[in-house]
């Protein structure tokens, strides 16, 4: 068997980025595969991160830059792992790198190509809160700051019209319409799965009015509303682009009956939202409606207590499945069972649903392609018989961060550092 010293990391969130840099510093060659056109994972959707309300961009951008400039790390964006063959020490991995039609080196990120594009699309990365063109970067400040073209929607690439507007607008000749998808094969000794999470689709939950009433938002939509590089440039206005909410209800544990687990980060994210709202809109009435409070770190209780004392009224609901949201005279009516099991309600302008974290879309197929076990919730299973392990059911393949289950940034990074230690121990013996 040919023992390879190289490592494949799948997913470029905080877990994948931390492991990539540590392994590179230890002299390993890393291939970092990311399905999107930008690296950074969900953390770059946050304006600020609890518990210290640090600026997320200030935390993550230097790491993203370091990764993109590191000669030991080959970053493959818009890419998916297709096939994994072999065993620990000697895996052969086939990766499908989707054509982006813009040269990563020639493009200066000047943005001249987007405004001229006639195609308007919904921007899913921005939680559908704004539009993008067929040639786009998902958000301002994306890294790499190089656009990609949606080949199915581009008029030239899908053959519906003879549009060439973006090519003509680019003064640097960076757009290459004849680029093709590419198969990349790598030989690695170990693999780290760091594919993170997605959010539960709350439109599937009855009675909460998501998708029906414009004033109802998900937690990630609210993250983008308060982001300076988000769809409203950080202005706290509702979907009509004008109304500033004067009362907000933040509902904890949304989808817990569906997932059957506590999502670990939502109570703190909800406290963060209350804190932010209070600072941005000091006159607004803010309510956190909860049935359970999860504060899994020694610093979190203080943050939560400060929010409770200064920013938000906390309301206990006895049965989260009995909540009903409706619209009445232009306001949202939030009905719930109070601590005496009696019907109660509040009326607000805005509702933020703290929806559950679920396994990343596609992680089922990815796990199967690699021969990994999933736990009963669908996350990649770490070896259950080893306490605190990040080893999976297949030797040589490790898991870290939210790919293993919901957790905060700190614990995602701790797991990825543990995975690096196990990878080093495997490759250096
Ligand atoms: C509303 C909200 C607010 C939060 N706020 C905070 C906070 O303030 N502080 C805090 O500590 N934590 C916070 N968190 C938790 C934080 O988002 C996670 O801890 C962190 O993102 C986990 O990082 P990760 O690398 O495991 O996963 P992710 O950030 O999800 O990154 C995974 C990456 O893998 C990529 N990927 C997925 N599947 C594939 C595939 N098949 N192939 C290739 N790439 C793939 C994804 O595109 C993504 O880039 C919050 C969570 C939510 C929901
Ligand atoms: S060629 Fe395609 S991407 Fe470029 S401007 Fe036209 S429609 Fe947009
Ligand atoms: S493709 Fe050209 S026009 Fe578009 S951002 Fe890059 S350099 Fe600017």
């Amino acid at each position: 068997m040919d023992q390879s010293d190289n490592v494949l990391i799948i997913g470029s969130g905080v877990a994948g980025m931390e492991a990539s840099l540590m392994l590179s510093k230890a002299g390993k060659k890393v291939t970092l595969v990311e399905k999107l056109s930008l690296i950074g994972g969900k953390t770059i959707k946050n304006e600020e991160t609890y518990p210290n309300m640090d600026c997320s961009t200030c935390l993550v951008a230097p790491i993203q830059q370091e990764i993109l400039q590191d000669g030991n790390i080959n970053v493959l964006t818009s890419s998916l792992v297709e096939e994994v063959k072999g065993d620990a020490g000697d895996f052969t991995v086939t990766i499908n790198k989707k054509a982006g039609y813009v040269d990563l080196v020639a493009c200066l990120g000047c943005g001249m190509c987007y405004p001229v594009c006639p195609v308007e699309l919904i921007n899913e990365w921005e939680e559908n809160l704004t539009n993008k063109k067929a040639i786009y970067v998902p958000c301002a400040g994306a890294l790499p700051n190089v656009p990609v073209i949606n080949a199915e929607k581009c008029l030239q690439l899908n053959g519906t019209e003879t549009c060439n507007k973006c090519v003509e607008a680019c003064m640097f000749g960076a757009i290459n319409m004849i680029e093709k998808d590419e198969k990349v094969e790598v030989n690695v000794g170990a693999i780290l799965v760091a594919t993170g999470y997605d959010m539960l689709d709350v439109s599937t939950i009855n009675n909460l009015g998501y998708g029906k009433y414009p004033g109802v938002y998900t937690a990630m939509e609210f993250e983008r509303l308060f982001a300076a590089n988000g769809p409203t440039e950080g202005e706290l206005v509702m979907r009509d682009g004008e109304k500033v909410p004067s009362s907000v209800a933040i509902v904890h544990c949304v989808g817990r009956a569906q997932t059957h687990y506590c999502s670990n980060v939502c109570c703190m994210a909800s406290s963060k939202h209350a804190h932010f709202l209070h600072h941005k809109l000091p006159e607004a009435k803010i309510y956190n409606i909860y049935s359970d409070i999860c504060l899994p770190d020694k610093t979190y209780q203080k943050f939560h207590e400060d929010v409770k004392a200064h920013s938000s009224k906390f309301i206990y609901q006895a049965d989260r499945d009995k909540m009903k949201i409706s619209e009445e005279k232009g306001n949202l009516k939030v009905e719930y069972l109070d601590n005496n099991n009696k019907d109660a309600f509040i009326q607000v302008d805005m509702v933020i649903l703290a929806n559950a974290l679920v396994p990343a879309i596609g992680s089922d197929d990815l796990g199967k392609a690699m021969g990994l076990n999933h736990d009963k919730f669908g996350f990649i299973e770490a070896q259950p018989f080893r306490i605190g392990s990040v080893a999976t059911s297949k030797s040589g393949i490790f898991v870290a961060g939210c790919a293993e289950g919901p957790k905060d940034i700190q614990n995602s990074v701790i797991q990825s550092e543990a995975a690096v230690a196990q990878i080093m121990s495997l490759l250096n013996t």
Side-chain angles (χ1 to χ4, degrees):
M1 176 181 89
D2 290 334
Q3 174 92 17
S4 169
D5 210 22
N6 304 335
V7 182
L8 172 76
I9 296 182
I10 312 172
S12 72
V14 284
M17 291 196 299
E18 173 74 3
S20 300
L21 283 177
M22 286 187 80
L23 287 162
S24 161
K25 286 191 179 113
K28 306 294 175 201
K29 298 273 181 210
V30 174
T31 302
L32 176 59
V33 172
E34 168 55 54
K35 71 175 174 185
L36 301 179
S37 64
L38 77 178
I39 63 169
K42 307 292 186 305
T43 307
I44 57 170
K45 293 198 176 198
N46 307 149
E47 174 71 6
E48 291 170 344
T49 55
Y50 66 73
N52 299 324
M53 296 303 269
D54 295 311
C55 151
S56 297
T57 308
C58 312
L59 284 178
V60 179
I63 302 173
Q64 292 169 288
Q65 293 284 12
E66 202 179 334
I67 291 210
L68 293 171
Q69 284 158 13
D70 190 317
N72 279 341
I73 305 174
N74 182 21
V75 180
L76 299 176
T77 47
S78 304
S79 297
L80 285 172
V81 168
E82 263 188 7
E83 191 178 50
V84 177
K85 285 189 194 151
D87 292 300
D90 184 24
F91 292 107
T92 303
V93 182
T94 309
I95 299 156
N96 185 20
K97 178 156 179 42
K98 226 169 164 324
Y101 306 96
V102 181
D103 189 301
L104 279 166
V105 178
C107 172
L108 297 191
C110 68
M112 297 299 283
C113 50
Y114 330 137
V116 296
C117 177
V119 180
E120 287 282 338
L121 303 171
I122 296 287
N123 188 340
E124 305 88 358
W125 195 89
E126 289 288 15
E127 306 294 321
N128 303 335
L129 292 169
T130 186
N131 286 353
K132 64 181 181 184
K133 297 300 182 85
I135 182 164
Y136 66 95
V137 287
C139 65
L143 289 171
N145 184 21
V146 173
V148 287
I149 297 181
N150 179 329
E152 280 163 26
K153 303 292 177 185
C154 164
L155 303 175
Q156 180 181 147
L157 289 167
N158 70 18
T160 49
E161 276 180 41
T162 54
C163 179
N164 202 33
K165 290 193 165 100
C166 58
V167 178
E168 287 155 15
C170 178
M171 293 188 298
F172 305 96
I175 301 176
N176 170 14
M177 289 293 192
I178 57 168
E179 193 184 318
K180 297 268 175 283
D181 292 359
E182 200 188 332
K183 296 266 185 240
V184 179
E185 199 175 275
V186 291
N187 183 234
V188 295
I191 299 174
L192 174 63
V193 183
T195 46
Y197 65 94
D198 274 299
M199 304 294 289
L200 182 80
D201 176 6
V202 272
S203 63
T204 59
I205 305 177
N206 290 335
N207 298 329
L208 296 184
Y210 180 76
K212 189 169 175 193
Y213 307 122
V216 182
Y217 290 78
T218 65
M220 205 52 102
E221 284 175 344
F222 186 70
E223 288 284 340
R224 291 314 293 153
L225 266 194
F226 91 75
N229 70 345
T232 58
E233 296 175 352
E235 277 308 303
L236 228 130
V237 287
M238 300 189 52
R239 285 185 218 268
D240 64 3
E242 284 176 15
K243 185 171 173 179
V244 177
S246 61
S247 49
V248 182
I250 303 168
V251 184
H252 294 221
C253 288
V254 173
R256 194 154 160 185
Q258 285 72 18
T259 59
H260 305 290
Y261 53 79
C262 164
S263 281
N264 195 292
V265 301
C266 335
C267 281
M268 280 298 284
S270 296
S271 292
K272 172 174 79 168
H273 294 161
H275 170 94
F276 174 79
L277 275 158
H278 178 65
H279 280 259
K280 189 90 177 174
L281 307 172
E283 303 302 319
K285 291 197 184 83
I286 303 157
Y287 308 94
N288 277 67
I289 305 181
Y290 72 101
S291 51
D292 217 356
I293 291 285
C294 168
L295 304 168
D297 183 85
K298 62 177 185 267
T299 60
Y300 290 178
Q301 183 147 340
K302 167 95 175 59
F303 182 83
H304 168 73
E305 279 168 3
D306 284 350
V307 169
K308 215 167 154 182
H310 306 293
S311 306
S312 172
K313 181 173 180 192
F314 276 67
I315 300 174
Y316 179 78
Q317 65 163 334
D319 184 346
R320 59 179 88 91
D321 297 330
K322 295 277 160 51
M323 177 168 278
K324 188 174 171 226
I325 297 172
S326 54
E327 213 171 48
E328 213 175 76
K329 295 181 194 145
N331 276 337
L332 292 166
K333 183 176 181 189
V334 183
E335 295 172 82
Y336 59 95
L337 276 188
D338 70 10
N339 50 352
N340 297 316
N341 267 317
K342 295 243 163 56
D343 290 331
F345 72 89
I346 52 170
Q347 283 189 308
V348 289
D349 292 333
M350 181 187 231
V351 171
I352 303 169
L353 302 173
N355 45 330
L357 280 69
V358 294
I361 294 163
S363 73
D364 195 25
D365 291 342
L366 179 70
K368 279 186 194 138
M370 292 193 289
L372 306 182
N373 290 344
H374 292 87
D375 64 23
K376 63 180 175 185
F377 308 114
F379 293 96
I380 306 282
E381 187 177 69
Q383 270 188 318
F385 49 88
R386 290 181 57 186
I387 298 168
S389 178
V390 289
T392 65
S393 50
K394 181 145 173 107
S395 175
I397 305 186
F398 303 88
V399 61
C402 292
E404 187 269 331
K407 54 183 70 70
D408 59 11
I409 293 170
Q410 181 180 296
N411 282 297
S412 298
V413 168
I414 289 170
Q415 262 194 344
S416 93
E417 289 172 350
V420 167
Q422 294 213 21
I423 290 169
M424 292 300 290
S425 141
L426 171 79
L427 298 185
N428 290 359
T429 46

